[in-house]
Amino acid sequence: MSNEEEAAAEAAGDTHLLGFSDEILLHILSHVPSTDLVLSVRRTCRKLAALCLDKSLVHTVLLQKDYQASEEKVKQLVKEIGREIQQLNMAGCYWLSGSTIEHVARCHSLVKVNLSGCHLTSLRLSKVLSALQHLRSLAIDVSPGFDASQLSSECKATLSRVQELKQTLFTPSYGVVPCCASLQKLLLYFEILDRTREGAVLSGQLMVGQSNVPHYQNLRVFYARLAPGYINQEVVRLYLAVLSDRTPENLHAFLISVPGSFAESGATKNLLDSMARNVALDALQLPKSWLNGSTLLQHMKFNNPFYFSFSRCTLSGGHLIQRLINGGKDLRSLASLNLSGCVHCLSADSLLRKAEDDIDSSILETLVESCCNLHHLNLSAAHHHSSDGLGRHLCQLLARLCHLRSLSLPVCSVADSAPRPDRAPAPPAMHAVPRGFGKKVRIGVQTCPNPFVGQSASQPASVFWSLLKKLPYLEHLELIGSNFSSAMPRNEPAIRNSLPPCSRAQNVGDSEVAAIGQLTFLRHLTLAQLPGMLTGSGLVSIGLQCQHLQSLSLANLGMMGKVVYMPALADMLKHCKRLKDLRLEQPYFNANAQFFQALGQCSSLQRLCLVSRSGTLQPDAVLAFMARCLQVVMCHMFTGESLTTCKSLQQSLLRSFQAERPALNVVIFPLLHEGLTDVIRDVPMLHLDEITLFKSRVAEEPPNLWW
């Protein structure tokens, strides 16, 4: 900007951007990506040049999901402000080369750095850490080929001062843990596959002789999350063995997330007994087999707990109330509670109860009253059916939790106890709408309630509608069928058959989906296995009213074998201007030109994942969509197309768009192909964990666990 332009801006006062106060301008600039801020905005005029280098903007640099951050931009950024950076988040920057990541060594003032998902060899890691003498917090990956003996003495000196470590393991190893003598927080993510690409079976015995005893004496937080596979369990036992010898006196959070069964050993029993005697926890998560039938909870001590996860445990609600809440103990400090897959957690006794029986509303009422400040609650993957008692429905009781910001519920739990007079019966499968964008043909089906009118006096409000009305600040909502399982599980072949939905889920349809439109601040929405959806008209209500929606996951809506909601989805998408992530899982889905034209109106879209057994796609439509949506950097499609068609389209997309989009990740592959597992292992963890693989994410981890 010239001197004349600056003078004009000053004369214009508050009618021009530069007329705002420095405080307001700094707030605006804080939303600009660091690369744009330093390399572009700073060069527009003298005032912005000064503001862009304000310490509030350059002390913390976030490159995570800055998909436009090319190699040259990152190098130039570090060159210009590297010495000022104190916190640097490069998590998931998989597109940057190791030589570019090495430039982090120039940021000598770094106190906290996240390099998870970045390409780093042992030697490069050693070079980077050797230069960071002030580092106290570190996140890295440990990949095959990692060799701790290659770490220099300067690097080990830096590691000895690190207090927080997040380590993602792709190979059996202790990583840098033995070098970290001052650890207070240890987060371990086990992503080791049971076999190498060549088919060799891995073993935790590879770790023998690698390490010395890890330093746990100052540990306050221990967290371990395991991907499926026996090797991950074998390796985590080696980490736990040290803890069992001597439990850290200041341990406050102990969390282990394990899919499936994880048998107790003598060492783990000793560890739990020691914890019960010597520490008071404020966060707890244990494998289900450690809790089922155990009196452990009765003996554990808690000090103002903020997070509990009893995911997939068979504990009854009676036991939870008795052992955890002591019949109604005040748990106002609890912010996050995960009871996903706890099929009996809302019943007094699990021995005589069937999974489909009605819940004991007094159990839920005690839980709500005791944990009245909950922000995150997960009750998914279970049948929580309410009886006809007045005011005792699950939705009516949950409405008292006015602080909720994220909520995950099974679809059947939000159905009214008795059939509503305003709901038409679900039509038989032969009357469903044909898939695709073709002309709608409906025979003998009554019209659904208009989702845009709301609940009139002549139509009593559903309990779900009333629940959402009481939770206006909800940001994350999941409605997932009790029997839903994604066709694409982790580290296994695709699932060819799925369980039928709960019969009560048939009573949850378009009007309930439309009720979600009340959530003005909604950012993340998941809808899975809603067989009662007839036209998808409620989706349009969400698109119109939920203008902050950033991620949308839809799976198995309507009756299986028929894609009934495509016209409504097309109408919805044109209103989703802030949508960044879309995951769509639906058998027989026809990803044709009309679908991609509608999707092309989502101007902020960055990631797309399509999973469709026996589904089809139009390659020309995909190419046109990618040319129109310039911010899309992830395109994953797993359909019924042939391997030849998939490979051809994938190569065309990479050839056409890789040069302008450095972070572009494209995977087009037949869903039922035997090579799917090998293809999945090459997907960057950032995308695989956040969108490609389906899972419930509410209360999955404690709030603010890391960055």
Side-chain angles (χ1 to χ4, degrees):
M1 183 180 286
S2 66
N3 292 338
E4 291 78 8
E5 288 173 316
E6 287 191 41
E10 191 174 335
D14 58 4
T15 62
H16 191 280
L17 177 66
L18 295 179
F20 290 121
S21 67
D22 287 357
E23 289 76 15
I24 293 177
L25 287 174
L26 286 172
H27 179 73
I28 294 172
L29 293 173
S30 68
H31 295 277
V32 178
S34 298
T35 49
D36 293 336
L37 195 71
V38 175
L39 305 180
S40 298
V41 179
R42 185 166 70 96
R43 293 181 167 84
T44 56
C45 70
R46 285 195 295 270
K47 182 171 184 177
L48 289 179
L51 288 176
C52 288
L53 295 181
D54 187 86
K55 62 181 181 181
S56 66
L57 299 179
V58 299
H59 279 188
T60 299
V61 172
L62 307 178
L63 295 180
Q64 183 186 32
K65 296 186 180 178
D66 183 358
Y67 299 119
Q68 303 306 316
S70 63
E71 306 259 4
E72 288 307 314
K73 284 184 177 181
V74 173
K75 291 177 183 178
Q76 189 63 28
L77 177 72
V78 171
K79 181 180 179 181
E80 298 201 19
I81 64 166
R83 292 185 177 277
E84 307 298 324
I85 302 174
Q86 296 182 0
Q87 299 187 67
L88 176 62
N89 188 351
M90 299 182 71
C93 290
Y94 56 86
W95 62 92
L96 298 177
S97 65
S99 59
T100 298
I101 302 297
E102 201 173 300
H103 281 66
V104 173
R106 300 182 180 182
C107 305
H108 298 298
S109 301
L110 274 179
V111 176
K112 186 171 187 176
V113 63
N114 191 339
L115 300 175
S116 297
C118 296
H119 299 292
L120 272 179
T121 62
S122 306
L123 288 173
R124 281 209 164 100
L125 177 65
S126 179
K127 182 176 180 179
V128 170
L129 296 185
S130 295
L132 306 180
Q133 299 182 10
H134 302 288
L135 194 66
R136 296 296 180 270
S137 180
L138 171 68
I140 58 168
D141 289 351
V142 177
S143 301
F146 177 85
D147 185 357
S149 66
Q150 295 180 337
L151 302 179
S152 68
S153 58
E154 293 83 3
C155 170
K156 292 179 179 178
T158 296
L159 288 170
S160 70
R161 295 185 289 269
V162 166
Q163 298 174 355
E164 299 178 353
L165 175 66
K166 177 183 177 183
Q167 196 168 251
T168 303
L169 296 158
F170 294 95
T171 189
S173 173
Y174 287 107
V176 300
V177 171
C179 302
C180 302
S182 306
L183 276 183
Q184 295 183 18
K185 177 186 286 190
L186 177 60
L187 277 56
L188 299 168
Y189 292 77
F190 296 86
E191 298 289 343
I192 312 166
L193 294 175
D194 291 343
R195 293 177 181 269
T196 65
R197 292 183 185 277
E198 295 74 28
V201 177
L202 289 176
S203 170
Q205 294 303 313
L206 295 175
M207 296 170 64
V208 174
Q210 271 187 27
S211 148
N212 323 122
V213 176
H215 301 278
Y216 289 155
Q217 61 267 26
N218 299 316
L219 207 61
R220 297 176 59 86
V221 176
F222 181 89
Y223 175 87
R225 193 187 81 179
L226 282 66
Y230 80 91
I231 184 64
N232 291 308
Q233 296 189 12
E234 187 178 347
V235 174
V236 77
R237 287 188 191 279
L238 296 176
Y239 281 86
L240 291 172
V242 182
L243 272 177
S244 65
D245 291 338
R246 180 184 175 187
T247 306
E249 296 177 0
N250 294 318
L251 192 66
H252 280 244
F254 186 78
L255 308 118
I256 302 180
S257 173
V258 183
S261 179
F262 184 41
E264 264 190 303
S265 65
T268 56
K269 287 181 179 178
N270 292 339
L271 170 61
L272 295 176
D273 290 342
S274 176
M275 287 171 53
R277 290 193 308 269
N278 302 317
V279 301
L281 299 175
D282 50 29
L284 177 68
Q285 178 176 8
L286 296 175
K288 63 178 183 180
S289 56
W290 297 12
L291 286 173
N292 292 344
S294 166
T295 59
L296 175 65
L297 287 180
Q298 220 168 326
H299 303 293
M300 296 293 288
K301 295 186 285 290
F302 299 104
N303 180 31
N304 295 321
F306 66 89
Y307 178 80
F308 285 142
S309 176
F310 304 111
S311 179
R312 297 182 293 276
C313 291
T314 58
L315 292 174
S316 69
H319 286 158
L320 280 176
I321 296 299
Q322 177 187 354
R323 298 174 183 175
L324 186 66
I325 305 179
N326 291 338
K329 184 175 67 176
D330 182 5
L331 281 177
R332 282 180 292 183
S333 61
L334 198 66
S336 187
L337 177 62
N338 189 340
L339 296 173
S340 64
C342 296
V343 295
H344 304 300
C345 69
L346 299 182
S347 65
D349 191 353
S350 61
L351 295 178
L352 303 176
R353 179 183 184 270
K354 296 179 180 178
E356 296 81 7
D357 288 347
D358 289 346
I359 64 172
D360 184 336
S361 57
S362 64
I363 298 285
L364 179 58
E365 189 167 24
T366 301
L367 196 66
V368 167
E369 290 176 351
S370 301
C371 310
C372 57
N373 290 323
L374 276 177
H375 282 63
H376 315 282
L377 175 62
N378 194 328
L379 294 172
S380 65
H383 297 272
H384 294 317
H385 300 165
S386 299
S387 60
D388 296 333
L390 186 64
R392 311 294 288 175
H393 193 282
L394 177 141
C395 288
Q396 293 170 317
L397 294 173
L398 292 184
R400 302 178 189 177
L401 297 173
C402 57
H403 299 289
L404 278 179
R405 294 298 179 267
S406 65
L407 176 63
S408 183
L409 295 174
V411 174
C412 55
S413 73
V414 305
D416 282 19
S417 303
R420 287 170 48 201
D422 62 311
R423 177 174 299 287
M430 67 182 70
H431 292 162
V433 182
R435 62 191 176 98
F437 280 83
K439 182 178 179 181
K440 292 182 286 184
V441 179
R442 305 196 60 77
I443 303 172
V445 179
Q446 299 182 38
T447 305
C448 293
N450 186 341
F452 309 109
V453 175
Q455 307 289 334
S456 66
S458 61
Q459 296 179 352
S462 69
V463 288
F464 184 57
W465 188 91
S466 300
L467 167 65
L468 299 187
K469 185 176 177 61
K470 293 290 183 67
L471 304 175
Y473 300 110
L474 205 64
E475 297 179 1
H476 190 163
L477 176 65
E478 296 177 345
L479 275 185
I480 304 174
S482 306
N483 294 331
F484 177 75
S485 58
S486 173
M488 213 168 96
R490 187 69 181 276
N491 298 344
E492 299 171 14
I495 295 176
R496 296 171 183 267
N497 299 305
S498 57
L499 294 173
C502 174
S503 58
R504 288 208 188 187
Q506 298 282 355
N507 297 322
V508 179
D510 295 302
S511 58
E512 280 75 19
V513 173
I516 298 172
Q518 299 175 87
L519 303 176
T520 307
F521 299 99
L522 189 68
R523 295 176 182 271
H524 311 280
L525 174 63
T526 296
L527 300 174
Q529 202 179 42
L530 275 76
M533 181 179 284
L534 300 181
T535 65
S537 57
L539 295 173
V540 186
S541 176
I542 295 172
L544 282 167
Q545 300 177 67
C546 302
Q547 287 295 298
H548 294 281
L549 192 65
Q550 294 182 5
S551 69
L552 176 65
S553 178
L554 305 175
N556 294 11
L557 304 185
M559 287 165 289
M560 294 295 287
K562 303 290 183 180
V563 185
V564 300
Y565 58 91
M566 288 313 305
L569 178 62
D571 285 343
M572 173 195 191
L573 290 175
K574 67 184 180 183
H575 303 293
C576 297
K577 300 304 181 185
R578 297 187 181 181
L579 189 67
K580 293 183 177 180
D581 296 339
L582 174 63
R583 187 186 192 278
L584 194 53
E585 179 169 345
Q586 189 80 34
Y588 304 100
F589 185 84
N590 180 14
N592 56 20
Q594 290 169 296
F595 166 69
F596 282 108
Q597 285 171 4
L599 189 59
Q601 298 183 70
C602 299
S603 53
S604 299
L605 194 69
Q606 295 179 336
R607 300 192 289 187
L608 170 66
C609 180
L610 174 61
V611 179
S612 180
R613 190 178 70 247
S614 303
T616 59
L617 55 83
Q618 292 184 10
D620 291 345
V622 179
L623 286 163
F625 157 73
M626 290 291 287
R628 179 177 181 183
C629 290
L630 303 179
Q631 296 193 55
V632 174
V633 294
M634 192 208 90
C635 182
H636 292 180
M637 297 185 184
F638 307 95
T639 66
E641 296 286 357
S642 68
L643 182 60
T644 302
T645 299
C646 291
K647 282 189 173 181
S648 175
L649 177 57
Q650 179 171 318
Q651 291 169 1
S652 296
L653 289 170
L654 290 172
R655 188 169 53 248
S656 300
F657 306 107
Q658 184 85 69
E660 315 73 82
R661 308 182 198 185
L664 184 63
N665 182 255
V666 178
V667 181
I668 316 289
F669 204 77
L671 178 63
L672 299 181
H673 193 280
E674 60 184 6
L676 178 64
T677 303
D678 290 332
V679 170
I680 288 298
R681 71 189 300 166
D682 291 326
V683 174
M685 187 57 59
L686 173 73
H687 301 321
L688 188 67
D689 192 53
E690 291 186 358
I691 181 170
T692 306
L693 297 177
F694 183 95
K695 63 178 176 178
S696 175
R697 292 178 168 81
V698 171
E700 180 187 16
E701 295 180 340
N704 306 314
L705 182 62
W706 190 244
W707 196 269

